[in-house]
Amino acid sequence: MKRIPRPDALEIASRNKVRWKQSLRRARRLSDEIRTRPSVRRASRITITPPEEFNLTRNYSETVACLRELKTEALKPREQGGGRHVYVDFTKIREISVAAALVLAAEIDRWRRHSRRRMRIVNDSDWSVEVSRMLYDVGFFRLLRVPTPDHFREEGGLQQITVLPMISSVELPGQLLQELLDDLSAIAEVLQQDPAIYSGLFEAAYNANKHAYPEDYEWEFRPVARGWWATAGWNPREGCVKFLVYDQGVGIPATLPRWGGWERVRERLARSAGALLGDEASATFNDASKLIEAAIEVDRTSLDGGHGKGLQDVVAVVQGRPGAKVRILSGKGRVLYYDDHTVELKDEALHLGGTLIEWTIPVGISQEAVES
């Protein structure tokens, strides 16, 4: 039998050298391709950083711009970058209002219901105590479905004490709503308020919300849940309880043309514009705040009377209560309505993305009395 000659060591080494050079060339080509490609890691991550003052009163534009960025990422289709990981970093925030915290939590709820992507928090150990506690109280971490860092539960020196963690009408059965009303009534008695006030607040929230989601509306940010979100807090330094309701609807100004009182609203605005000329008169019909104010007055002074009409329920809560007021942020309009019917109006450049109603009700007891 003829034997097959074995390659000598020199020939084996030569073959291995050729293979090694070929592998090296392939590795270099692959390396060059990777360097010339866009960074996949960078393109797949976005960090949302709210402004230092996250407040819908003193810093409306930057706060709403941040919320719009959040909504844009939540509703973005995958082919438009919807596969990116989203991180939230609140290290920069030094002050957050309960109203801004509620709207933020509602938008996180929209994200949770709509997107399969998880939102992640970063640098939480560097967040301020006030911000951490506020977000913890309204249920921010529960919505994100992440463990709450232990230091976020720390007490001490807080300006706002939450008496009602965020609730949603979408997830609230009737029996639980009654239990909540009972709890809030008990709190009202401790704070020397009329316990019936909270029943009125929930009624007002329902009535204000029932027209917020028209079927044939072309949404910029479509709602996932057609309902409202609410919270309440006691501010010992200001001596008041604030009750807030937010919806992700079209805003009051956009719903008025469908309302039965629309013609009376137009007549009222026409009278207001009667003394104005040209563009000023036309602007009266486009100012969101003036539309809301006119609708309040038409509804409040309606000959029909009774509850269930919407905006009259909203303002009725504060009437006859010295020091009480209600703030309505809806669409681009801002209306501040006081117990004596005094009204302050302002229009914003950015649409809130719904309607926020904030009632401020004075309490008859001090922080020291409660602590004692």
Side-chain angles (χ1 to χ4, degrees):
M1 178 182 294
K2 185 176 180 180
R3 299 182 62 184
I4 299 175
R6 296 179 59 188
D8 57 24
L10 184 61
E11 183 179 356
I12 292 174
S14 177
R15 290 178 184 174
N16 288 341
K17 185 176 181 180
V18 171
R19 293 194 186 100
W20 180 80
K21 286 183 177 180
Q22 290 173 341
S23 298
L24 182 60
R25 283 195 293 269
R26 284 196 297 268
R28 284 174 177 169
R29 284 197 303 271
L30 181 59
S31 178
D32 290 340
E33 289 178 8
I34 292 175
R35 278 198 299 269
T36 57
R37 293 176 190 166
S39 174
V40 174
R41 185 171 184 176
R42 289 176 186 170
S44 64
R45 170 172 178 160
I46 181 172
T47 301
I48 295 175
T49 306
E52 184 172 330
E53 193 171 35
F54 199 64
N55 189 302
L56 289 168
T57 300
R58 293 191 295 272
N59 194 20
Y60 180 94
S61 295
E62 287 190 68
T63 301
V64 173
C66 175
L67 292 168
R68 287 179 62 87
E69 181 184 12
L70 185 67
K71 287 182 279 194
T72 298
E73 287 300 323
L75 302 177
K76 185 177 293 184
R78 181 170 293 274
E79 60 271 15
Q80 296 180 12
R84 294 190 291 182
H85 297 299
V86 177
Y87 297 79
V88 288
D89 185 355
F90 294 158
T91 306
K92 187 178 177 182
I93 302 181
R94 288 294 169 262
E95 190 269 332
I96 184 170
S97 67
V98 63
L102 173 64
V103 177
L104 173 65
E107 294 304 338
I108 297 296
D109 199 14
R110 184 205 303 256
W111 180 295
R112 178 178 66 105
R113 295 169 185 274
H114 174 79
S115 178
R116 294 182 179 179
R117 292 177 292 154
R118 288 186 59 188
M119 186 179 294
R120 307 173 187 185
I121 61 173
V122 293
N123 302 325
D124 56 271
S125 60
D126 297 327
W127 297 8
S128 85
V129 175
E130 289 284 350
V131 172
S132 304
R133 184 67 191 187
M134 177 74 75
L135 294 176
Y136 169 69
D137 283 351
V138 300
F140 178 83
F141 303 99
R142 171 178 53 82
L143 291 171
L144 281 180
R145 296 180 178 176
V146 297
T148 304
D150 291 337
H151 63 279
F152 278 35
R153 300 185 176 92
E154 296 176 359
E155 300 282 358
L158 299 182
Q159 297 182 19
Q160 181 76 33
I161 299 174
T162 300
V163 297
L164 175 65
M166 190 187 79
I167 59 173
S168 170
S169 66
V170 179
E171 299 177 337
L172 196 62
Q175 62 185 48
L176 286 181
L177 177 58
Q178 186 56 53
E179 291 175 9
L180 278 170
L181 287 173
D182 292 342
D183 291 342
L184 288 171
S185 295
I187 293 171
E189 290 181 351
V190 171
L191 297 177
Q192 297 182 9
Q193 292 179 305
D194 178 3
I197 189 173
Y198 289 103
S199 296
L201 288 170
F202 275 99
E203 181 181 0
Y206 168 77
N207 290 326
N209 174 251
K210 63 183 179 182
H211 301 299
Y213 302 97
E215 292 293 338
D216 55 349
Y217 189 79
E218 293 185 10
W219 300 91
E220 180 181 9
F221 301 108
R222 66 177 176 84
V224 179
R226 297 172 180 253
W228 49 257
W229 294 258
T231 189
W234 172 41
N235 191 316
R237 296 184 185 180
E238 296 181 6
C240 65
V241 168
K242 293 186 177 182
F243 186 88
L244 305 96
V245 174
Y246 173 68
D247 70 60
Q248 296 171 341
V250 300
I252 294 170
T255 65
L256 291 181
R258 304 165 184 261
W259 180 45
W262 172 236
E263 287 305 319
R264 282 176 290 170
V265 169
R266 286 172 54 86
E267 291 170 4
R268 185 180 182 88
L269 290 174
R271 288 196 300 269
S272 299
L276 302 175
L277 298 174
D279 294 340
E280 289 184 343
S282 299
T284 300
F285 290 88
N286 295 321
D287 289 347
S289 59
K290 291 181 179 178
L291 283 167
I292 297 170
E293 180 198 24
I296 289 173
E297 289 306 307
V298 166
D299 202 23
R300 188 179 68 84
T301 59
S302 171
L303 296 177
D304 298 336
H307 285 279
K309 300 299 180 183
L311 290 173
Q312 66 172 289
D313 289 338
V314 170
V315 299
V317 174
V318 303
Q319 291 172 0
R321 301 181 188 276
K325 58 186 177 182
V326 57
R327 179 175 62 150
I328 302 172
L329 300 180
S330 189
K332 296 181 180 181
R334 182 203 297 258
V335 174
L336 188 58
Y337 191 97
Y338 293 90
D339 62 290
D340 61 356
H341 308 308
T342 303
V343 181
E344 295 178 9
L345 306 177
K346 184 179 179 181
D347 275 52
E348 303 288 352
L350 295 176
H351 195 294
L352 178 64
T355 296
L356 173 73
I357 303 176
E358 178 184 53
W359 292 271
T360 300
I361 313 294
V363 300
I365 190 170
S366 66
Q367 180 181 9
E368 290 77 13
V370 173
E371 291 174 348
S372 63

